[in-house]
Amino acid sequence: RLSPATMGRKEDEKRRAKAKAKASGKKDANADRVDKVEKEAMLKGNVKRAAVLDTAVVTGVLASQKQAMDVKIEQFSMSVYGKEFIKDTKLELNFGRRYGLIGQNGAGKSTMLAAIAAREVP
């Protein structure tokens, strides 16, 4: 025979499981909405442009097709306020891979990524 204390625990577990499932469903729906908005913005070309790019000079030759998922840039150079951060470099980023950028503070890591995201490379 079950004691009243045991019955209460099972009911509480069921309520918690139900609440958890409901909350995870909301999170999934919100993530789907955010993904949809981001995809639409990318398709329309409405990528936010970082403020630092107003003073940046970015040059390079796009070696991949414009609509390709991989990014290949030859003779990539970037300077901000006349200070050259990157000079005549070959840059190749493949879709689905993860990359890490290592450098000192102020080396231009974020500026480079902002320039690529905003499609500043000619």
Side-chain angles (χ1 to χ4, degrees), residues 31-82:
D32 290 341
R33 281 190 219 120
V34 170
D35 287 342
K36 184 178 178 184
V37 169
E38 287 177 355
K39 286 179 184 176
E40 288 175 0
M42 287 189 72
L43 290 174
K44 292 179 182 177
N46 297 340
V47 178
K48 277 190 173 181
R49 189 170 185 270
V52 72
L53 295 178
D54 292 336
T55 58
V57 177
V58 182
T59 60
V61 178
L62 186 63
S64 60
Q65 295 179 358
K66 269 195 166 184
Q67 299 301 323
M69 299 295 275
D70 295 345
V71 176
K72 295 179 185 176
I73 304 169
E74 295 176 356
Q75 299 173 351
F76 181 69
S77 297
M78 183 182 71
S79 63
V80 179
Y81 290 116

Side-chain angles (χ1 to χ4, degrees), residues 15 22 26 40 48 66 71 74 87 109 117 119:
R15 286 182 189 155
K22 186 176 180 182
K26 286 182 182 179
E40 288 175 0
K48 277 190 173 181
K66 269 195 166 184
V71 176
E74 295 176 356
K87 184 176 182 180
K109 301 177 295 289
R119 298 190 180 268

